[in-house]
Amino acid sequence: MTDALPARGCPEEDGYFRKGCNPLAETGRSKLQNQRAVLNQQILRAVRMRAGAENLLRATTNNKVREQVLLELSFVNSNLQILKEELEGLNISVEVYQNTEETFSIPLVPLGLKETKEVDFTLPLKDFILEHYSEDSSEYEDEIADLMDLRQACRTPSRDEAGIEMLISYFLQLGFIENRFFPPTRHMGVLFTWYDSFTGVLSYLKETFTHTPSYDMSPAMLNVLVKMMLAQAQECAFEQIGLPGIRNEFFTLVKMTQEVAKVGEVYMMVNTAMTQEPVRENIPYSWSKLVQIKSDHYRALAHYFLATILCDHELQSSDDEDQQEKAFSQLYDSVPEGLMVRTVLKDKVQRKQLGKAHLRKAIVYHEEALRVCGLCKKLRNIEVLQEVLTAAHKRSLLKYAQQETEDDFLSLIQAPDILPKTEHKVETVAPQFSKVKVKDFFHRLSVGLKEGDYIVSVGGEDCKWLGVSEVLEKLKSTGQQPIEFEVISCQDTTASMTSATGFTYCEDQSLAETVKLLEILMFAISKLNKFKAIA
């Protein structure tokens, strides 16, 4: 679904970014994204209608008008709630993102793409090129089109390394664009519009690219989303360990008990974070419930695995007692009062009683997971989720029934908590921006020096504090060899050229003549192809 998209004017084989999936293609993800975009627009219209009705309600004193407005407001609020529920349904459409037909595991929470609108950069950028850079803006139509193509492609990236690389390329390109065309003292008239991923409300980016544009990108919400993705990564690590199958062997089960307990622990922390203010009201209900279900389910599995150790693996004469005691003791922070690990391993009755205690706790967690799943309509409709939870519950019930004896009334041991531990720790990884090579679309705007530009390096040597004569001496010493400049193009042209900026070029009153000389000399030496611009 990703084809090479070369920049205009570049050979086909030199294409340096990829276009995304065709949003009109008949694929599940594209259809889902189009549906989400339509819902976002409907939600935005409903929000505007509600705002207008509320303003009219505050302004009018006519009782008849107020009754009509209140009736209209109730209709709008009802419609808005329905639209938000539809959006939440799309946000939990796990079948689109995961092939649930071929797997028997709990689906992951699908964090979809953030929706936005098309942006036309043509007029604002062309005006700025003409006004600030004093160049013919019509010569940069291809570059502007390349920028718009790349942004459009980033709305539908492929779900693979190529898609990630494309997003990084666009991010890096934005750095060039922001510095070249968006001075902090001037509004360019370009509105960047996108929708909150959870509520669908519209927001504008009006100040800087680092400004939080909507609630789903607030620090509190991003913190929760990071925790959720790390928990899902931990879950995937556990699933990967179990892909070959889990052997019913003492030390294997000890390892799996702690690994799955770790998954349950991280989901419990995510669930706690999701129920805190201020994110509580904005997290999709189905997401928070699925996280709660996963926490209960994986903690239940931990108790089931530990019960299996106790019920199926009696200590034999050929077993290493010390190694088993050491491994088993690491599962608990403390054993129930009156019990000792070595005694439990040797005593058949104590093993059985403690094993049944863990099975009871596993059953409680399984039943809680099924109960929470039944509370959410969206989750009830995910068949594979229901099947996994039900199968795990039945397995624990069967295991417990196999341990039934007449003296069960004596089994008063409470199962202790299990210490989580993992050999597959997951952590966030910063994007590898340096590995993605990006060519500045508008690099030609920096070719040639202009009055107001600052030369900060010649041939790799810092010259910010050198005088004009010293820089010219450096240029003359290079002879006919190509030389590389680093320049800073200031966007605030109203700044005084004689102010103390730290660049000693500003003290020379013949700056315009010197710059002209440098421009001619630069053209002769490097043919305008060796500039390294810092715009």
Side-chain angles (χ1 to χ4, degrees):
M1 293 298 293
T2 55
D3 304 320
L5 182 64
R8 289 166 175 77
C10 295
E12 184 98 13
E13 62 272 14
D14 292 336
Y16 54 88
F17 65 86
R18 295 178 179 275
K19 64 181 180 181
C21 300
N22 181 0
L24 301 180
E26 293 299 316
T27 65
R29 288 172 181 162
S30 297
K31 290 180 180 178
L32 182 64
Q33 192 163 340
N34 288 332
Q35 294 173 21
R36 188 183 287 117
V38 171
L39 275 177
N40 282 328
Q41 294 180 20
Q42 292 176 342
I43 289 173
L44 179 60
R45 285 197 294 269
V47 169
R48 288 174 173 170
M49 290 179 63
R50 183 177 65 181
E54 290 174 345
N55 290 336
L56 181 57
L57 193 63
R58 286 191 292 265
T60 186
T61 57
N62 188 303
N63 290 333
K64 186 174 182 180
V65 173
R66 289 180 62 86
E67 289 179 2
Q68 292 177 341
V69 172
L70 287 172
L71 180 62
E72 181 67 22
L73 195 58
S74 65
F75 172 77
V76 171
N77 285 330
S78 176
N79 185 47
L80 186 59
Q81 183 62 33
I82 293 173
L83 292 174
K84 288 184 176 181
E85 289 179 0
E86 290 184 23
L87 181 61
E88 182 182 351
L90 296 182
N91 286 335
I92 201 65
S93 300
V94 296
E95 295 85 357
V96 175
Y97 295 95
Q98 302 155 57
N99 190 354
T100 57
E101 296 179 359
E102 298 181 4
T103 59
F104 192 71
S105 59
I106 298 181
L108 300 175
V109 175
L111 183 57
L113 295 173
K114 192 172 180 64
E115 295 296 330
T116 184
K117 288 184 176 181
E118 295 184 11
V119 174
D120 191 346
F121 295 95
T122 307
L123 288 179
L125 295 193
K126 290 180 74 172
D127 289 345
F128 194 80
I129 289 172
L130 178 62
E131 175 186 338
H132 178 73
Y133 292 97
S134 301
E135 295 195 25
D136 185 356
S137 57
S138 63
E139 295 183 0
Y140 292 89
E141 291 179 350
D142 285 346
E143 285 84 347
I144 296 174
D146 284 337
L147 174 62
M148 294 171 61
D149 285 346
L150 179 57
R151 184 181 186 275
Q152 179 66 19
C154 284
R155 297 179 65 186
T156 55
S158 57
R159 267 69 169 184
D160 52 22
E161 292 296 327
I164 295 174
E165 182 176 329
M166 182 178 66
L167 291 172
I168 293 177
S169 298
Y170 181 57
F171 179 82
L172 295 175
Q173 199 67 238
L174 288 180
F176 295 128
I177 300 302
E178 180 182 20
N179 289 327
R180 289 194 188 283
F181 298 107
F182 291 85
T185 57
R186 172 178 172 180
H187 191 281
M188 290 292 293
V190 180
L191 294 179
F192 297 90
T193 305
W194 56 82
Y195 303 96
D196 189 290
S197 299
F198 310 123
T199 64
V201 177
L202 170 59
S203 185
Y204 291 94
L205 181 61
K206 295 181 178 179
E207 297 177 6
T208 67
F209 283 108
T210 56
H211 175 64
T212 300
S214 56
Y215 186 77
D216 61 345
M217 293 181 67
S218 66
M221 182 63 75
L222 289 177
N223 181 56
V224 171
L225 294 180
V226 168
K227 289 180 182 294
M228 184 180 75
M229 300 309 290
L230 286 174
Q232 298 198 140
Q234 193 72 59
E235 179 184 9
C236 290
F238 167 74
E239 293 284 352
Q240 187 178 30
I241 298 171
L243 280 178
I246 301 174
R247 293 173 55 211
N248 192 353
E249 185 267 333
F250 184 91
F251 293 103
T252 300
L253 289 175
V254 168
K255 176 183 176 181
M256 298 304 294
T257 297
Q258 291 192 301
E259 288 284 352
V260 76
K262 182 65 177 180
V263 179
E265 180 191 51
V266 293
Y267 270 116
M268 181 175 62
M269 292 190 293
V270 175
N271 181 51
T272 301
M274 284 185 170
T275 57
Q276 303 299 314
E277 299 293 345
V279 301
R280 180 178 179 177
E281 300 300 324
N282 294 280
I283 287 287
Y285 179 74
S286 55
W287 285 19
S288 62
K289 292 306 173 186
L290 183 55
V291 166
Q292 185 179 348
I293 289 169
K294 284 173 178 271
S295 175
D296 291 329
H297 173 73
Y298 287 114
R299 285 189 289 175
L301 288 186
H303 286 281
Y304 173 81
F305 287 149
L306 184 45
T308 303
I309 294 173
L310 292 165
C311 296
D312 293 0
H313 297 280
E314 294 184 10
L315 192 63
Q316 305 296 325
S317 58
S318 58
D319 294 333
D320 189 328
E321 292 185 19
D322 292 335
Q323 288 296 323
Q324 284 203 8
E325 181 183 6
K326 179 181 179 181
F328 194 84
S329 61
Q330 293 177 355
L331 294 173
Y332 297 133
D333 185 27
S334 62
V335 296
E337 186 177 356
L339 296 181
M340 297 180 63
V341 172
R342 186 176 286 267
T343 305
V344 170
L345 292 176
K346 288 184 175 182
D347 189 286
K348 183 178 180 179
V349 174
Q350 288 191 8
R351 287 179 71 106
K352 180 180 177 181
Q353 289 179 346
L354 186 56
K356 291 188 67 174
H358 281 290
L359 283 173
R360 287 195 296 271
K361 205 160 189 177
I363 292 170
V364 170
Y365 280 130
H366 283 311
E367 290 177 347
E368 179 64 12
L370 285 167
R371 185 190 71 82
V372 174
C373 187
L375 294 175
C376 181
K377 179 181 178 181
K378 306 297 181 184
L379 299 180
R380 288 201 304 267
N381 295 330
I382 303 178
E383 293 183 5
V384 68
L385 175 60
Q386 292 280 356
E387 292 173 1
V388 170
L389 298 179
T390 302
H393 182 224
K394 289 181 177 179
R395 184 175 59 182
S396 293
L397 288 173
L398 178 60
K399 192 76 173 178
Y400 188 84
Q402 292 172 349
Q403 314 304 317
E404 289 277 26
T405 58
E406 294 181 358
D407 61 348
D408 274 343
F409 65 91
L410 298 176
S411 302
L412 303 177
I413 298 176
Q414 293 295 321
D417 293 332
I418 299 171
L419 285 178
K421 181 182 177 181
T422 181
E423 297 177 1
H424 305 272
K425 185 179 180 180
V426 300
E427 56 187 12
T428 56
V429 177
Q432 301 298 309
F433 294 111
S434 60
K435 292 185 178 180
V436 180
K437 304 302 180 183
V438 175
K439 184 178 181 180
D440 181 6
F441 286 149
F442 297 91
H443 67 95
R444 291 194 295 128
L445 282 173
S446 294
V447 176
L449 297 175
K450 299 179 180 64
E451 183 173 355
D453 289 351
Y454 294 89
I455 300 177
V456 296
S457 174
V458 176
E461 295 185 23
D462 189 356
C463 66
K464 291 193 296 293
W465 311 107
L466 301 182
V468 175
S469 59
E470 294 172 294
V471 174
L472 289 177
E473 285 297 324
K474 283 185 173 293
L475 291 173
K476 292 176 182 179
S477 65
T478 61
Q480 297 300 317
Q481 297 297 320
I483 187 171
E484 186 176 273
F485 283 84
E486 290 187 4
V487 299
I488 292 179
S489 179
C490 293
Q491 294 178 340
D492 189 1
T493 57
T494 62
S496 173
M497 294 301 295
T498 59
S499 63
T501 62
F503 297 167
T504 54
Y505 277 15
C506 298
E507 68 188 25
D508 196 317
Q509 294 184 356
S510 60
L511 177 63
E513 295 178 2
T514 304
V515 167
K516 186 63 177 177
L517 173 62
L518 290 175
E519 187 176 8
I520 296 172
L521 183 60
M522 189 61 199
F523 181 84
I525 294 177
S526 62
K527 298 181 181 178
L528 296 181
N529 64 354
K530 289 293 182 180
F531 265 109
K532 180 180 179 182
I534 305 175

